[in-house]
Amino acid sequence: MQPFRELQSLLGPPKFECEYVLDCGPEKLSLPPKVSQEKRRHFLHKPWGFELLALLLKYGSRSTEQCPSELCHEIPCPNDQIHKKRRIVGRVRCKNIRAECPSPTCGSPVLLPGRCCKVCPGQENNPDEKISVDLAREEEEKNSRHYGSLLTSESMPKTSLVATGRFYFRKKTLSYSFVTGQEFGHPKFISFLDENGNIVEEFLTQTNEFHNITGKICGSWNRLPRRYRRQLRKDLLFAQLTNAEGATISGRIGKHFGLSSEYFSGLLLPISGSGFGSATAIVSTDSTSSTAGGVHIMILMKDVFGPTDDQDVTLDVKLEAVMDNGERRIIEDTLRVPKVVPKDATTSDLKTGFDVLEMDALGRGNLKMTVSSRNFPHYGVEGYLGSRFSCDLVDSILSPVDEDSELDEIAAMDHQNSPQRGLAWLVPKTNGELDYHIQIEDLSSNEITALQIDNGKMSRRLLMTIPLKATFNGGEASGSIRISAKEMEQLFKDNLFLNVATLANERALRGKLTIQMMSEATETIRPILLKSNLSLVSGIAWTSINAHCRLNYEMRLIGPERKTESTLTLKDFPMKNLKNLAMMPGRQLALQTFRGPTVSGHQDNLHKLSVARLDGGDASFVIRHEGHYEFEIEGRIKDVQAPPDCLPRYVRNELELMPGFLSDLGEERPEVEKELAARCLYEGGIIYEDGAQWPASHTNCHMCFCQRGKVNCDPVVCPKIECSRPIIHKGACCPVCQEEVPIDRSRGCQIEGDDQFHVAGSRWHPYIPPSGFSRCATCECHADTLEVKCTHEHCPKLDCPKDDQVREDTLACCKTCQEDNSTSTFYDPSIDYDQKTQQDMGREFTDEDILDMGGCNWKGEVRTNGESWHPHILPFGEYTCVTCTCKEGKTKCQRKSCVKLNCIHKVTDPNGCCPRCAANSSEVKEAKRHRRQQKLKKLRRMRQKIREQKRLLVRQQKAGSQD
């Protein structure tokens, strides 16, 4: 107090409140002109000279509207400096305290000289002395980026349809988190409203893993418009939740003291049976002492007051702590609410102190809070306090080196080639639990002796440890713990570490627990470890793909300070079984360059094949750094699910085998789609053209063929043989007569269209896709000349009408009459089949045969079963945007489905069916011109429609006047 007393002796008696913020360099400290130069020098040379940061100075003045003009003399301030745009800035904060003056009880109050508040004539006490202004609190509420809200139902105030929200604004993004009461359930829509009740933005909520664990609804409003930023700062925005039943709750988004230092929260619902009131608690703690902790509770409440509670309302507050041994402790206090805000949340705060056991109950979620009106006890709310409601996530990089290790230390340890690395992430839950997940690579679970969380203090008196009981399975462990309020406070302040001890080293792996807010990148709740066996630099990465096909990422590295830039690259590669084909090689996309240990951002317009590879886990992040300490670390991306609209139409297995189908921008190329889609992928990654046939390798004695991208396989049909003791040679499928077995099996025949080798002297049924093996034809490889001759079975001429001719069996070669079933369809040796030699290895199918096999008759044209074609539409000709397919006698035509584009400017090729993103400036101009034309056409149609309606109205009026 010595500085204050000496300064007060210079300034005179206190009559005005003003705050000096002397956090500036050579700025000006103002003192009254009556202070002599000698006293000024004496004051400046004191050892405590400018320890007056945020000190309330009281001095005399006639004006209370602004800081007195008398204090204009300049004294340099040599203390802390704040640089802002190369200028050194100092501030003097003042407040007009007239608004805080109590209302006089008389009708004609007077303002005495040197006073700020009016008093009644003859009143001796000075109300100015009783006014205290907390400028630091007002400063926090004014400049804070944290907001809170209490959402209730205006139409049904006596229900438990309640929720509370927390908001944080940073870099044009408003991050939000909501916790709802059990009766309201999970919201379907989150809406933001202006002061007039108009919806300015709305989001559709979806459940994710983080919501399932914590019960919190998280999200963000990106690129908040400037006009809504102003409304947010003025507390003129409202939040509204709508559930599946259509019920809505809403509340004002406002700044409240304590949100920036909130560690615990609570949602207070009506006391059982009352049905009145709702509140949310914002709890801050200060556990600097080892035996006790200070607790500040800010309460936002609504409908807790009775019908006549409007001013000077007394509230009873009860805090009930339940210990682990079953002991209950009750702390009772009262709150005085000067004024109740109708139809809005009323705020009041409570300050108290907890001992060690009570702080432990608060951290473990075992502290129950009850608030009720003294005049109306049945108007009250209650609920348990737990971890704060903001969407927080804690992660840690487990490494043999500390995060603040020097470059030389890491370079020396690199030679030890210690590949052990790991990750840990923790999720605070609203009930006080802390879910943890630990992932360690290249370290056997048998070697781990202990897992613990500590505060890194070297002194035994100050050391704080939290043991974790976890069982590793495959290098991963998970579980949940409950910690005290003091430990939770240290966790939110980033003062805790996770330590992994082994038999050989008590600090084998160690990492700092870092708190961060949930974002689009961390929605997967599954981080990625970035590492290299050649360097001890490691990192953690979070990534996800949102509904707009945007890749979001956040990364943090530990290691030496890097003064040069590092490069972040996204690398993807083909499927494991297709790497040797080299048809669609891996792609590398440079995301950004950065300095320092952290990097975050997003990437739009990803190639669709890259999105498919990301979705399949065949991609990784690579960070390279060149300089004095070079390194390259990489992390495999797993558990990232891409929305269906972001994936290509074809499955990835087919897409990898269709080079050229996707352009460099990732858009489909219709001109090559038909050709590429007709190819077939067979076992082992072999590609066959449409119409090709080959012996099956996945099973014995089968032949396969490719038909418009689909593989069909049929069992081999063996020709009939005439011998008593046939044999099957090793590796063959069909039996042969023993005397026909050739001596030299290296000689044989091979015909065009059939890649199969036929041994000399063998006989077989030709394979004719898509019909399969033709039982009505037999081919033979002549043993001497190696010529192939194929003969077709002769069918007798039937004398019955055509309608009576039937095929008794689908595999039969000839038709028979229904009345006469004795007609033979077997081989007749009296017929000379040599004259029936077939050169095309099969007879021609008639239209009736095609229709009998499931074909279609479409506009006079006969189409085979499974055939696809583009229809001809007069006068345009073939319309490639529509594809017709014949299946089991039915024709189905369907327009080509176009994928949703995320770009603004779209163009359509002359022969294309679907629009694509503009690739250059000329196409952008064309897209804009086309859009203007479309708007003009739409405007002309609207005008034409209006003119027609006017003409119709005039006719009706004329007809009515004539009547």
Side-chain angles (χ1 to χ4, degrees):
M1 295 299 294
Q2 184 182 5
F4 179 78
R5 292 195 185 99
E6 294 205 20
L7 188 60
Q8 192 178 41
S9 66
L10 296 175
L11 301 179
K15 290 184 180 179
F16 180 88
E17 295 211 5
C18 181
E19 182 182 5
Y20 279 82
V21 181
L22 304 182
D23 50 1
C24 50
E27 267 300 315
K28 320 302 181 184
L29 172 65
S30 300
L31 292 177
K34 63 182 180 181
V35 180
S36 64
Q37 292 293 334
E38 181 180 357
K39 288 186 177 182
R40 292 175 190 273
R41 288 193 295 268
H42 172 74
F43 176 74
L44 287 174
H45 286 85
K46 287 289 185 179
W48 41 264
F50 291 92
E51 296 176 356
L52 302 177
L53 183 63
L55 179 66
L56 289 177
L57 304 179
K58 299 184 178 181
Y59 48 86
S61 173
R62 296 185 302 273
S63 173
T64 59
E65 297 296 333
Q66 58 184 357
C67 287
S69 58
E70 295 90 342
L71 306 183
C72 297
H73 289 262
E74 301 177 355
I75 297 179
C77 173
N79 263 6
D80 298 337
Q81 303 179 3
I82 295 179
H83 296 270
K84 184 176 182 181
K85 294 182 180 179
R86 297 185 179 180
R87 294 177 298 166
I88 302 173
V89 180
R91 293 180 301 165
V92 176
R93 295 181 297 190
C94 303
K95 178 179 175 61
N96 187 350
I97 63 173
R98 285 181 177 177
E100 308 296 331
C101 294
S103 300
T105 57
C106 57
S108 301
V110 295
L111 180 63
L112 299 178
R115 297 283 187 90
C116 297
C117 299
K118 292 183 178 182
V119 295
C120 295
Q123 183 177 345
E124 297 181 357
N125 61 331
N126 185 4
D128 295 2
E129 299 176 353
K130 298 181 180 180
I131 297 175
S132 61
V133 180
D134 192 348
L135 289 177
R137 175 168 178 168
E138 293 185 2
E139 184 78 8
E140 178 184 338
E141 292 181 355
K142 179 181 178 180
N143 300 325
S144 176
R145 297 177 179 270
H146 297 265
Y147 300 82
S149 178
L150 177 65
L151 293 81
T152 59
S153 175
E154 296 183 0
S155 60
M156 295 180 290
K158 295 184 179 181
T159 61
S160 297
L161 300 179
V162 183
T164 182
R166 301 291 186 269
F167 308 86
Y168 179 69
F169 178 73
R170 181 174 180 268
K171 293 183 178 180
K172 300 182 182 180
T173 299
L174 181 64
S175 301
Y176 56 82
S177 64
F178 293 95
V179 175
T180 61
Q182 185 175 2
E183 185 176 343
F184 185 80
H186 182 76
K188 186 177 181 180
F189 295 101
I190 297 176
S191 307
F192 290 91
L193 289 68
D194 60 12
E195 55 183 336
N196 299 322
N198 301 319
I199 297 178
V200 296
E201 188 59 272
E202 190 171 60
F203 301 95
L204 177 66
T205 63
Q206 295 180 351
T207 58
N208 51 28
E209 187 178 356
F210 187 82
H211 170 74
N212 296 333
I213 295 175
T214 63
K216 304 174 186 177
I217 299 99
C218 307
S220 61
W221 183 359
N222 300 322
R223 296 183 180 180
L224 188 66
R226 183 172 297 177
R227 60 180 180 275
Y228 300 135
R229 278 183 258 164
R230 291 195 292 264
Q231 294 184 16
L232 178 67
R233 286 191 290 267
K234 295 179 181 179
D235 296 350
L236 297 179
L237 276 185
F238 295 79
Q240 177 179 284
L241 304 182
T242 307
N243 62 10
E245 288 75 22
T248 60
I249 54 177
S250 60
R252 183 188 299 273
I253 303 174
K255 304 186 191 75
H256 299 286
F257 181 69
L259 281 171
S260 59
S261 59
E262 181 183 19
Y263 300 133
F264 301 93
S265 307
L267 180 61
L268 311 183
L269 302 177
I271 298 175
S272 302
S274 68
F276 287 95
S278 58
T280 180
I282 304 167
V283 185
S284 304
T285 60
D286 182 10
S287 57
T288 55
S289 173
S290 60
T291 58
V295 179
H296 177 270
I297 305 176
M298 170 64 71
I299 308 173
L300 279 70
M301 45 197 159
K302 193 174 182 181
D303 300 326
V304 179
F305 310 98
T308 59
D309 289 340
D310 53 0
Q311 292 184 0
D312 293 331
V313 181
T314 302
L315 297 178
D316 294 326
V317 180
K318 182 175 71 172
L319 299 172
E320 183 179 0
V322 181
M323 313 303 170
D324 292 339
N325 57 5
E327 178 188 356
R328 293 180 178 270
R329 294 189 180 184
I330 297 178
I331 302 174
E332 295 183 343
D333 208 330
T334 59
L335 291 177
R336 177 183 169 273
V337 181
K339 186 177 181 180
V340 177
V341 181
K343 296 184 179 180
D344 207 344
T346 304
T347 61
S348 183
D349 54 349
L350 170 69
K351 294 182 179 180
T352 185
F354 285 176
D355 60 15
V356 176
L357 295 178
E358 292 163 351
M359 292 288 285
D360 184 73
L362 173 61
R364 296 174 181 270
N366 295 331
L367 185 69
K368 184 178 181 181
M369 183 177 183
T370 305
V371 181
S372 60
S373 172
R374 179 167 293 183
N375 298 330
F376 299 89
H378 60 283
Y379 283 76
V381 290
E382 62 181 1
Y384 282 90
L385 303 181
S387 175
R388 65 188 185 188
F389 287 161
S390 57
C391 295
D392 298 315
L393 190 65
V394 185
D395 60 24
S396 177
I397 309 170
L398 303 178
S399 174
V401 299
D402 296 331
E403 294 193 18
D404 54 353
S405 299
E406 297 295 335
L407 176 61
D408 296 337
E409 180 183 353
I410 293 183
M413 295 184 66
D414 280 345
H415 299 290
Q416 300 178 9
N417 193 17
S418 176
Q420 291 85 7
R421 240 66 61 88
L423 294 176
W425 61 99
L426 299 85
V427 181
K429 300 169 65 175
T430 56
N431 61 356
E433 288 186 351
L434 195 64
D435 282 5
Y436 63 86
H437 304 266
I438 304 173
Q439 174 186 338
I440 298 178
E441 295 187 4
D442 302 317
L443 187 62
S444 173
S445 58
N446 298 328
E447 302 179 50
I448 300 175
T449 58
L451 287 171
Q452 68 179 23
I453 298 175
D454 60 68
N455 59 354
K457 300 293 183 181
M458 302 304 296
S459 171
R460 288 184 176 271
R461 182 178 63 86
L462 301 178
L463 181 64
M464 177 180 63
T465 61
I466 308 170
L468 302 179
K469 298 180 180 179
T471 302
F472 278 88
N473 183 13
E476 297 186 3
S478 60
S480 61
I481 57 173
R482 292 178 182 266
I483 59 179
S484 66
K486 182 178 181 180
E487 296 163 344
M488 187 70 75
E489 179 183 342
Q490 296 301 314
L491 176 66
F492 287 133
K493 291 181 177 179
D494 295 343
N495 291 335
L496 296 183
F497 299 82
L498 179 63
N499 186 76
V500 180
T502 61
L503 295 172
N505 189 357
E506 292 184 355
R507 297 164 66 95
L509 295 176
R510 188 173 177 82
K512 187 176 184 179
L513 295 173
T514 305
I515 192 79
Q516 62 175 333
M517 293 191 66
M518 279 287 298
S519 62
E520 286 188 303
T522 58
E523 287 183 353
T524 55
I525 318 287
R526 186 77 181 184
I528 303 163
L529 176 62
L530 304 172
K531 69 164 191 172
S532 170
N533 293 334
L534 302 177
S535 172
L536 286 178
V537 177
S538 55
I540 184 173
W542 299 87
T543 185
S544 68
I545 302 176
N546 64 10
H548 302 290
C549 306
R550 169 179 288 181
L551 176 70
N552 299 280
Y553 55 86
E554 293 180 5
M555 302 177 197
R556 190 176 80 256
L557 306 182
I558 61 171
E561 182 180 357
R562 294 167 297 279
K563 297 182 180 180
T564 56
E565 291 184 339
S566 302
T567 303
L568 173 62
T569 305
L570 173 66
K571 183 173 69 173
D572 60 69
F573 30 87
M575 300 176 68
K576 185 176 181 181
N577 61 330
L578 300 176
K579 285 185 178 180
N580 296 329
L581 295 180
M583 299 191 67
M584 289 293 288
R587 305 171 61 89
Q588 292 194 16
L589 175 64
L591 297 178
Q592 70 177 96
T593 58
F594 65 97
R595 294 176 183 266
T598 60
V599 57
S600 62
H602 63 267
Q603 180 66 37
D604 294 319
N605 301 324
L606 282 175
H607 196 280
K608 288 196 173 182
L609 182 57
S610 297
V611 176
R613 289 171 174 175
L614 278 166
D615 187 73
D618 290 327
S620 61
F621 286 120
V622 180
I623 296 179
R624 297 183 182 91
H625 180 76
E626 297 180 357
H628 178 58
Y629 182 75
E630 297 184 359
F631 65 85
E632 178 179 319
I633 58 177
E634 183 174 353
R636 186 74 172 263
I637 301 175
K638 300 179 180 178
D639 303 317
V640 173
Q641 294 184 352
D645 293 339
C646 303
L647 295 171
R649 288 188 298 121
Y650 290 95
V651 296
R652 184 185 163 200
N653 211 351
E654 298 178 357
L655 198 63
E656 297 273 13
L657 302 168
M658 299 166 64
F661 176 65
L662 295 179
S663 64
D664 292 337
L665 298 177
E667 302 297 336
E668 297 180 1
R669 299 174 61 189
E671 63 270 15
V672 297
E673 177 181 4
K674 185 175 181 180
E675 176 186 354
L676 297 173
R679 296 178 180 177
C680 295
L681 173 68
Y682 188 60
E683 302 242 339
I686 305 175
I687 304 169
Y688 292 97
E689 297 292 334
D690 184 29
Q693 55 178 283
W694 64 92
S697 59
H698 68 284
T699 184
N700 296 327
C701 298
H702 278 69
M703 284 291 293
C704 301
F705 69 95
C706 176
Q707 183 183 21
R708 298 180 184 89
K710 183 179 179 181
V711 177
N712 298 289
C713 298
D714 297 306
V716 173
V717 178
C718 298
K720 186 177 180 181
I721 58 174
E722 298 179 357
C723 58
S724 58
R725 300 180 62 184
I727 63 172
I728 299 178
H729 195 80
K730 183 179 181 181
C733 297
C734 295
V736 294
C737 294
Q738 189 171 4
E739 60 271 18
E740 294 180 358
V741 177
I743 299 175
D744 187 5
R745 297 187 59 83
S746 61
R747 300 174 66 248
C749 304
Q750 193 171 9
I751 58 177
E752 184 180 358
D754 186 1
D755 295 335
Q756 192 172 5
F757 180 78
H758 300 277
V759 180
S762 61
R763 299 170 63 245
W764 68 94
H765 290 302
Y767 189 60
I768 308 174
S771 304
F773 285 94
S774 176
R775 291 169 172 79
C776 303
T778 304
C779 296
E780 181 179 3
C781 178
H782 198 276
D784 296 330
T785 62
L786 298 182
E787 293 182 356
V788 178
K789 288 188 177 182
C790 298
T791 58
H792 193 276
E793 183 175 346
H794 176 75
C795 295
K797 186 176 181 180
L798 302 178
D799 54 358
C800 56
K802 190 174 183 179
D803 294 339
D804 295 335
Q805 298 177 6
V806 295
R807 200 181 303 273
E808 293 182 350
D809 186 2
T810 56
L811 300 179
C813 298
C814 300
K815 292 184 178 181
T816 60
C817 296
Q818 286 184 336
E819 296 82 6
D820 184 11
N821 295 332
S822 61
T823 304
S824 175
T825 60
F826 294 100
Y827 180 81
D828 187 359
S830 63
I831 300 176
D832 184 10
Y833 288 103
D834 292 337
Q835 299 178 1
K836 304 295 183 180
T837 300
Q838 304 294 314
Q839 301 298 329
D840 57 353
M841 299 181 60
R843 67 182 180 86
E844 182 180 0
F845 280 87
T846 63
D847 292 345
E848 291 79 5
D849 294 333
I850 296 175
L851 294 175
D852 290 341
M853 297 174 64
C856 304
N857 190 345
W858 193 80
K859 294 187 176 181
E861 297 180 1
V862 177
R863 302 284 182 172
T864 59
N865 187 17
E867 183 180 357
S868 298
W869 68 95
H870 297 301
H872 286 263
I873 301 177
L874 295 176
F876 305 104
E878 186 182 37
Y879 193 51
T880 58
C881 297
V882 175
T883 302
C884 298
T885 305
C886 173
K887 186 175 181 181
E888 303 299 335
K890 296 182 179 179
T891 302
K892 181 179 180 181
C893 296
Q894 187 175 5
R895 180 180 293 272
K896 181 180 179 180
S897 60
C898 299
V899 296
K900 184 179 179 181
L901 301 178
N902 297 319
C903 52
I904 300 176
H905 304 292
K906 306 176 181 67
V907 295
T908 303
D909 295 328
N911 297 326
C913 302
C914 297
R916 59 175 177 84
C917 294
N920 48 50
S921 58
S922 61
E923 291 186 349
V924 171
K925 293 181 181 179
E926 179 66 21
K928 290 181 179 179
R929 186 186 64 81
H930 179 72
R931 189 160 52 183
R932 286 194 299 268
Q933 290 179 351
Q934 294 297 325
K935 289 183 179 179
L936 289 175
K937 290 181 180 179
K938 183 178 180 181
L939 185 59
R940 293 191 188 102
R941 289 195 299 267
M942 292 176 61
R943 290 175 178 174
Q944 182 67 23
K945 187 176 181 180
I946 293 173
R947 286 195 292 267
E948 292 177 356
Q949 291 178 352
K950 287 183 178 180
R951 294 192 193 102
L952 180 61
L953 183 61
V954 171
R955 294 193 198 100
Q956 292 176 352
Q957 290 176 353
K958 290 182 178 179
S961 60
Q962 292 176 0
D963 294 340

